[in-house]
Amino acid sequence: MENTGIGKFAKSFGISFAITSILSALLVVLKESNEETVLAWMASITGHHWVTHGIFDLIIFAGLGWALSKLDSGQGLNISANALVIVIVSAIVVSEVIITGFYI
């Protein structure tokens, strides 16, 4: 028997990845625009701002993915595999445009 459905964790963490990707790009812009405040504060937490950035990304990704998986009891996240791929690829492109646009 073929299972063509997509699991709740794939949906939840796929959406979480898309959101985290965009938030991470926005954090890059925020840090680089505020070097003496935000970037310095993030560097003071772990010794380097990129380490703190990565930890923030992991916390957001895991927390949001877990929260979304709890919503998916029944019809909470009704999204097809194809739609999820489109959401993820779109988020990656938007994130790239945000960062590239900032540095140009």
Side-chain angles (χ1 to χ4, degrees), residues 51-104:
V51 174
T52 307
H53 188 130
I55 291 169
F56 284 175
D57 286 346
L58 288 171
I59 291 169
I60 292 167
F61 172 72
L64 189 56
W66 177 80
L68 289 171
S69 73
K70 295 299 178 190
L71 289 175
D72 195 32
S73 56
Q75 296 298 329
L77 296 172
N78 192 11
I79 187 169
S80 70
N82 288 339
L84 183 59
V85 169
I86 290 169
V87 167
I88 290 170
V89 170
S90 298
I92 292 169
V93 169
V94 167
S95 298
E96 183 273 329
V97 168
I98 290 169
I99 293 171
T100 303
F102 173 73
Y103 283 111
I104 288 183

Side-chain angles (χ1 to χ4, degrees), residues 34-66:
N34 300 286
E35 290 184 16
E36 277 132 36
T37 54
V38 177
L39 190 133
W41 172 75
M42 290 179 73
S44 72
I45 293 174
T46 60
H48 199 282
H49 64 96
W50 280 115
V51 174
T52 307
H53 188 130
I55 291 169
F56 284 175
D57 286 346
L58 288 171
I59 291 169
I60 292 167
F61 172 72
L64 189 56
W66 177 80

